[in-house]
Amino acid sequence: MITLSVVVPIRDGERYIADALTSLGRNARPDFEFIVVDDGSVDATPDIIDDFRAELPGLAVVRNATAVGLADARNTGLAKASGRYVTFMDGDDWLAPGYLARLVEAAEGLGCDFVRADHVQVEGRKRVVHRAPLAAPRNAVLDPRRAILPADVRTMVDYPYAWAGIYRRSLGDLLHFPGSLHTAEDRPWIWRLHREAASFAVVSLAGVFYRRQVAGSLTQVGDERQLHFFDAFELILDGLEPEFLPKAVRNFCALLAHHLELGDRFTPPLRARFEERGARMVRSLPRELVGEAVARMSVEREARLRALVPDLPPSPHVRVRRDREET
């Protein structure tokens, strides 16, 4: 019987995959399986993975001849998973020794659908613990829907990282990622999980080391895949209950302003397409909710959105600047 399946998608990760697999070896148990999905790598990644076959118990490898993207690579791993629980790790990150056992212990002790955890953000030699933004008590079983609001503070849907937690595999389709997306796939995923799952908890474990500013990662690349940001929010907004709409609009506006700040990574034609689609989507949202979102932005971000959509509602004199918490 397999207790935990760990899904690890990787593409062209020869610089980091050995660190990732070594850390899995320090977490291995006979009832854990590690499903590495090599998503069409053309560097030495497949050879490095093969070097670990003899030393990493429970290692299974799936190879895609051509890349399908992070969402579908995770879905491929999910289809192969046999554990009662499942978690994720990106191939350029690593885990603290014994972290997975503690994560399973927390999930079994709480008995809920999914458990979210903290993580450590890594930039060069810098290490910073990022805590899951839960206002309610930790180590307690809660209703996931009640962790979406309030709209004007950072909540659990602003913490979309799939690898920061553990999930009952019996959640089935709720664990699948929208394969149409090649970026921002975690956003509609976490919203659907919180809207439709029955129970969850947050625990104070920070065993995932998340590398930031990795060259070639989708957060650093300015190609057409960044347009999937809009597709992701269309999925979030589709059929969304009115009570959650203010939160989704605030998320969208804050993240759109963030993308506009990084506009220099786009080619001029792609930037024009991004801005045109952004303006069109802003105008499609309830005007009063957009006005409330803009009122909580920094002056710089508000200026960027007003340059994009000059007919935005006027801002009140009193401002609350919190939007950077959501990015």
Side-chain angles (χ1 to χ4, degrees):
M1 293 288 292
I2 299 298
T3 301
L4 177 67
S5 302
V6 184
V7 176
V8 187
I10 183 70
R11 180 186 180 191
D12 293 338
E14 62 184 5
R15 292 180 60 192
Y16 306 112
I17 189 61
D19 290 344
L21 297 179
T22 297
S23 77
L24 290 178
R26 293 169 180 161
N27 279 267
R29 284 189 351 192
D31 58 336
F32 289 179
E33 64 179 5
F34 307 109
I35 304 168
V36 177
V37 182
D38 177 13
D39 192 31
S41 294
V42 295
D43 64 0
T45 297
D47 296 329
I48 297 171
I49 295 170
D50 283 342
D51 288 343
F52 279 82
R53 287 186 182 273
E55 56 188 272
L56 179 55
L59 175 62
V61 183
V62 180
R63 291 208 166 99
N64 296 330
T66 58
V68 298
L70 177 60
D72 272 332
R74 283 176 174 166
N75 291 339
T76 297
L78 282 170
K80 299 289 186 181
S82 60
R84 286 189 292 115
Y85 299 98
V86 63
T87 190
F88 303 92
M89 184 179 78
D90 287 353
D92 51 11
D93 299 336
W94 76 92
L95 304 180
Y99 168 70
L100 293 179
R102 292 192 294 274
L103 200 59
V104 168
E105 181 181 3
E108 293 187 326
L110 290 159
C112 50
D113 283 342
F114 66 100
V115 174
R116 304 284 278 152
D118 307 321
H119 71 276
V120 181
Q121 184 169 292
V122 178
E123 293 187 39
R125 295 181 179 275
K126 183 179 178 182
R127 307 285 189 272
V128 179
V129 175
H130 283 242
R131 286 170 59 84
L134 181 72
R138 292 186 167 216
N139 301 300
V141 178
L142 305 169
D143 179 352
R145 291 174 67 87
R146 296 180 66 85
I148 296 174
L149 299 176
D152 60 349
V153 298
R154 190 166 180 255
T155 68
M156 291 304 298
V157 292
D158 302 309
Y159 190 75
Y161 316 110
W163 35 258
I166 184 171
Y167 316 89
R168 286 190 182 275
R169 195 165 59 87
S170 58
L171 286 169
D173 288 345
L174 283 185
L175 296 180
H176 282 248
F177 296 84
S180 58
L181 302 182
H182 286 253
T183 189
E185 73 292 326
D186 284 352
R187 295 279 174 179
W189 181 84
I190 195 66
W191 270 86
R192 189 171 70 153
L193 198 58
H194 272 273
R195 287 170 62 205
E196 299 186 26
S199 59
F200 93 112
V202 174
V203 296
S204 296
L205 289 175
V208 179
F209 289 78
Y210 165 47
R211 294 186 203 261
R212 292 272 291 174
Q213 310 297 329
V214 174
S217 72
L218 288 176
T219 58
Q220 303 297 305
V221 173
D223 62 22
E224 288 201 9
R225 288 173 290 182
Q226 296 300 335
L227 294 173
H228 290 185
F229 159 70
F230 300 109
D231 300 318
F233 268 87
E234 286 176 352
L235 288 173
I236 292 170
L237 292 164
D238 184 27
L240 187 65
E241 299 89 336
E243 66 189 289
F244 298 136
L245 190 56
K247 179 66 174 179
V249 170
R250 279 208 60 210
N251 280 176
F252 173 75
C253 290
L255 289 165
L256 175 59
H258 171 69
H259 280 287
L260 293 172
E261 288 176 333
L262 302 176
D264 288 345
R265 62 183 169 169
F266 298 137
T267 63
L270 184 58
R271 181 168 184 166
R273 289 174 58 195
F274 189 94
E275 292 178 351
E276 186 277 332
R277 189 163 178 192
R280 187 171 72 245
M281 193 159 173
V282 168
R283 290 191 175 102
S284 74
L285 298 172
R287 183 175 173 83
E288 68 280 6
L289 295 183
V290 173
E292 291 172 8
V294 171
R296 294 182 175 276
M297 288 187 171
S298 66
V299 172
E300 297 80 7
R301 287 192 168 184
E302 179 185 2
R304 288 186 183 275
L305 280 189
R306 289 194 181 280
L308 183 70
V309 187
D311 58 342
L312 284 175
S315 295
H317 295 297
V318 178
R319 307 181 55 81
V320 182
R321 295 168 183 161
R322 292 175 176 165
D323 63 306
R324 287 187 182 274
E325 294 181 352
E326 300 180 6
T327 58

